[in-house]
Amino acid sequence: MKFGVIVFPGSNCDRDVVWVTQGLLNQPTRMIWHEETDISDLDVVVIPGGFSYGDYLRCGAIARFSPVMKATVEHAKLGKPVLGICNGFQVLTEAGLLPGALARNAGLNFICDRTPLKVESTNSLWTSAYKSGQIINLPIAHGEGRYYADADTLAELEDNGQILFRYCTSAGKISNAGNPNGSLNNIAGICNRQGNVLGMMPHPERASDPILGKTDGIKLFEGLLLAAVAD
């Protein structure tokens, strides 16, 4: 699979993703400058973490108007995979590729930590390498990660199985105690109705290289490759 990692002014996790896809998984990968409009050569588009355009106005609010995002929307409409991590998740909601919004953390503070997550479903190309109900640990680093959506949208996400990852305690309990930022329904990651677009606040790319001590994140990328082989 050929990966493309978007680079906005202010992106700072782009090379981390490239190291995973190209360095660890040996998949062809190229950086996509935000002014590009032709990404037809790519199978997967990744919108990485960081502070696109300095997060002025609102996280992701300016990035969504970049030329590359118009191309990314078309890429998604074709059913091709799109992954948004942290700031990338915020950009996806601003662009309308995912429902809801990411608001200021409940404690109004920036959180940099590792947190347990529960894999809610493996019926997805993104989670096929995990086990349903598996508890994994991924890093988080955000000030605006509190997922919010209206009651009808939350009900649709629940009913359609679009919530792929939830914050939980180390024992796997979905509760306020395991919710680091106040996200509604403990939501850490969701996909669109078609399943090809995933947005998540935790950083799988930061828990992929064994040298960092944790590798729970690489299974997300491996699952994507397995799904492609199965197709």
Side-chain angles (χ1 to χ4, degrees):
M1 298 185 83
K2 186 173 184 180
F3 287 78
V5 183
I6 296 178
V7 182
F8 295 111
S11 295
N12 63 15
C13 299
D14 40 4
R15 285 164 178 78
D16 295 355
V17 176
V18 171
W19 172 247
V20 175
T21 59
Q22 182 172 280
L24 298 178
L25 296 176
N26 299 312
Q27 301 300 306
T29 304
R30 73 175 179 90
M31 311 288 270
I32 314 167
W33 187 234
H34 66 110
E35 294 180 339
E36 288 191 43
T37 56
D38 184 4
I39 58 173
S40 58
D41 61 309
L42 302 174
D43 299 307
V44 185
V45 171
V46 182
I47 309 175
F51 303 90
S52 57
Y53 296 92
D55 279 348
Y56 290 113
L57 299 182
R58 190 175 58 249
C59 298
I62 298 177
R64 66 151 304 215
F65 292 106
S66 288
V68 75
M69 283 309 299
K70 182 177 180 180
T72 300
V73 169
E74 294 304 313
H75 178 95
K77 286 180 179 178
L78 294 173
K80 295 183 177 182
V82 177
L83 170 62
I85 303 168
C86 198
N87 190 225
F89 188 5
Q90 296 161 343
V91 174
L92 289 177
T93 60
E94 291 287 342
L97 284 173
L98 289 174
L102 284 309
R104 288 289 302 276
N105 295 342
L108 303 182
N109 59 333
F110 188 92
I111 303 171
C112 184
D113 205 349
R114 287 184 178 272
T115 188
L117 303 174
K118 187 173 186 179
V119 180
E120 287 293 316
S121 170
T122 54
N123 296 323
S124 164
L125 56 87
W126 302 104
T127 56
S128 60
Y130 294 109
K131 296 179 182 178
S132 183
Q134 182 177 350
I135 308 304
I136 63 175
N137 281 273
L138 295 182
I140 54 172
H142 56 254
E144 294 85 10
R146 178 168 58 91
Y147 184 79
Y148 176 84
D150 61 43
D152 289 341
T153 299
L154 286 173
E156 288 181 10
L157 291 173
E158 296 281 3
D159 294 343
N160 298 330
Q162 291 173 244
I163 302 171
L164 300 187
F165 300 100
R166 290 189 210 262
Y167 300 111
C168 65
T169 66
S170 57
K173 185 177 181 181
I174 307 298
S175 66
N176 289 335
N179 191 336
N181 55 30
S183 290
L184 295 183
N185 294 28
N186 284 52
I187 289 173
I190 62 171
C191 65
N192 63 341
R193 191 76 178 269
Q194 294 72 32
N196 62 306
V197 179
L198 168 65
M200 59 190 301
M201 289 308 297
H203 287 265
E205 80 283 7
R206 296 185 184 179
S208 291
D209 193 330
I211 199 171
L212 298 177
K214 296 286 186 179
T215 57
D216 285 348
I218 199 166
K219 287 186 178 296
L220 184 137
F221 299 97
E222 290 175 340
L224 186 61
L225 298 180
L226 288 171
V229 171
D231 287 343

